[in-house]
C-alpha cells in the first residue's frame, strides 16, 4: 500500500518529492519571519494606535502636533509599496541586523510594512468604544492610563483580536513577497523552484500550504473574537 502511494506521489509531483527537506526548512523560515516581525509590529502598532487615538481631537490626551505627526508618518509608510520599502530600507536593515538578506534581513522591512497597517487596525478597534463609557470613567476621576487599560483596551478586545488576525494574514503575504529579494521562506522556495525552474508541482504545494496556514490563523482569530465579544 505504501509503495503504491509513493509511486502515485512521484507521478503527481516528481519535483516536490525530492525537495521535502528544503520545503520544511522554508516553512520554518516563514514562521520565524512572521513570528519575530509580528511580535514587534504588534507591540509598536498597539502603542501607536493608542497614542493616535488619545491625542486626536476630542481624545483624553488631545495633542494636535503629536497626532498630526504620527498620522502623517503612518500614512507615509502605508503608502509605500512593500517591494519598494524592502529596497529602500536596505541600509537601515544592514545597520540593525548586520545583513539585508535571509530571514534576519527580512524582519526590519516586515516590521515597517506591518506596523502602520496594524496601527490603523488598533485605531479602528478603539474608535468602537462607546464615548459615554470613556466620559463616565473620566467623571469618576479615572486617569488617562486607567482609561486606556480599563476602558479602551478592555472594551475593544474583540476588535483588537480581529485586527490582529487580519494583520497576521497580511504579514504572511508580505513574507512571501520578501522571498522575491532573497529573504528565504516559502516565497523564496516557490520563486526559486516553482517559477524560475518551471516546476509547477512545487508552486501548487507551496500555495496549498500557505492557504492552510492562513485558514488556521483565521479560525483561531475567529475563536478569540467570539470569546471576547460582548
Amino acid at each position: 500500500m505504501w509503495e503504491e502511494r509513493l509511486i502515485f506521489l512521484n507521478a503527481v509531483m516528481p519535483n516536490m518529492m525530492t525537495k521535502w527537506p528544503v520545503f520544511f526548512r522554508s516553512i520554518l523560515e516563514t514562521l520565524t519571519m512572521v513570528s519575530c516581525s509580528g511580535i514587534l509590529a504588534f507591540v509598536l502598532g498597539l502603542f501607536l494606535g493608542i497614542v493616535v487615538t488619545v491625542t486626536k481631537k476630542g481624545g483624553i490626551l488631545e495633542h494636535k502636533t503629536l497626532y498630526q505627526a504620527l498620522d502623517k508618518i503612518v500614512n507615509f509608510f502605508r503608502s509605500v509599496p512593500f517591494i519598494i520599502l524592502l529596497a529602500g530600507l536596505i541600509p537601515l536593515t544592514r545597520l540593525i541586523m548586520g545583513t539585508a538578506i535571509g530571514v534576519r534581513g527580512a524582519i526590519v522591512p516586515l516590521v515597517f510594512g506591518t506596523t502602520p497597517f496594524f496601527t490603523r487596525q488598533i485605531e479602528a478597534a478603539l474608535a468602537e468604544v462607546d464615548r459615554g463609557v470613556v466620559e463616565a470613567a473620566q467623571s469618576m476621576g479615572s486617569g488617562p492610563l486607567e482609561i486606556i487599560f480599563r476602558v479602551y483596551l478592555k472594551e475593544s478586545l474583540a476588535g483588537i483580536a480581529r485586527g490582529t488576525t487580519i494583520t497576521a494574514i497580511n504579514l504572511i503575504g508580505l513574507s512571501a513577497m520578501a522571498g522575491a529579494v532573497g529573504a528565504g521562506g516559502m516565497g523564496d522556495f516557490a520563486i526559486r523552484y516553482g517559477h524560475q525552474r518551471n516546476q509547477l508541482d512545487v508552486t501548487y504545494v507551496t500555495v496549498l500550504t500557505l492557504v492552510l496556514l492562513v485558514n488556521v490563523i483565521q479560525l483561531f482569530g475567529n475563536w478569540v473574537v467570539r470569546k471576547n465579544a460582548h
Side-chain angles (χ1 to χ4, degrees):
M1 180 65 79
W2 172 246
E3 289 183 355
E4 291 177 357
R5 290 178 182 175
L6 195 59
I7 291 171
F8 173 75
L9 290 174
N10 277 317
V12 173
M13 45 184 185
N15 300 303
M16 193 66 213
M17 292 301 286
T18 63
K19 296 180 177 61
W20 289 114
V22 183
F23 181 60
F24 288 130
R25 189 166 66 245
S26 73
I27 293 176
L28 184 61
E29 289 174 349
T30 292
L31 293 177
T32 303
M33 281 191 287
V34 170
S35 58
C36 291
S37 55
I39 290 170
L40 289 170
F42 179 85
V43 174
L44 291 171
L46 183 63
F47 174 75
L48 291 174
I50 292 171
V51 174
V52 167
T53 299
V54 299
T55 57
K56 68 171 54 173
K57 186 177 181 182
I60 59 174
L61 292 171
E62 183 177 336
H63 194 294
K64 185 178 178 181
T65 305
L66 180 58
Y67 171 76
Q68 290 291 342
L70 289 178
D71 188 59
K72 285 178 171 54
I73 290 172
V74 170
N75 282 343
F76 172 78
F77 281 102
R78 281 201 67 188
S79 304
V80 181
F82 184 65
I83 197 72
I84 297 175
L85 195 63
L86 273 170
L89 289 174
I90 285 177
L92 180 63
T93 303
R94 283 188 178 140
L95 181 66
I96 296 175
M97 305 300 289
T99 177
I101 59 173
V103 173
R104 288 174 58 199
I107 290 176
V108 171
L110 284 174
V111 170
F112 273 82
T114 305
T115 299
F117 180 80
F118 188 57
T119 298
R120 292 305 186 201
Q121 296 291 325
I122 293 297
E123 185 184 1
L126 299 185
E128 293 177 0
V129 175
D130 190 343
R131 180 66 189 168
V133 179
V134 176
E135 290 174 350
Q138 286 178 309
S139 66
M140 288 187 291
S142 298
L145 283 178
E146 286 180 299
I147 294 175
I148 289 171
F149 284 100
R150 294 183 179 178
V151 178
Y152 274 121
L153 294 182
K154 186 178 179 182
E155 293 294 321
S156 60
L157 279 177
I160 292 174
R162 194 178 298 114
T164 303
T165 303
I166 295 171
T167 305
I169 292 172
N170 184 58
L171 181 56
I172 290 174
L174 295 183
S175 72
M177 196 185 301
V181 292
M186 284 189 279
D188 177 60
F189 179 79
I191 290 169
R192 272 194 297 136
Y193 297 105
H195 176 64
Q196 294 177 349
R197 302 184 188 181
N198 197 30
Q199 297 174 352
L200 288 179
D201 55 330
V202 171
T203 302
Y204 294 150
V205 171
T206 306
V207 170
L208 287 174
T209 305
L210 286 169
V211 170
L212 178 64
L213 182 59
V214 166
N215 275 278
V216 169
I217 292 174
Q218 186 66 63
L219 288 172
F220 179 71
N222 290 344
W223 177 79
V224 175
V225 171
R226 283 198 301 274
K227 286 290 182 183
N228 291 283
H230 295 299

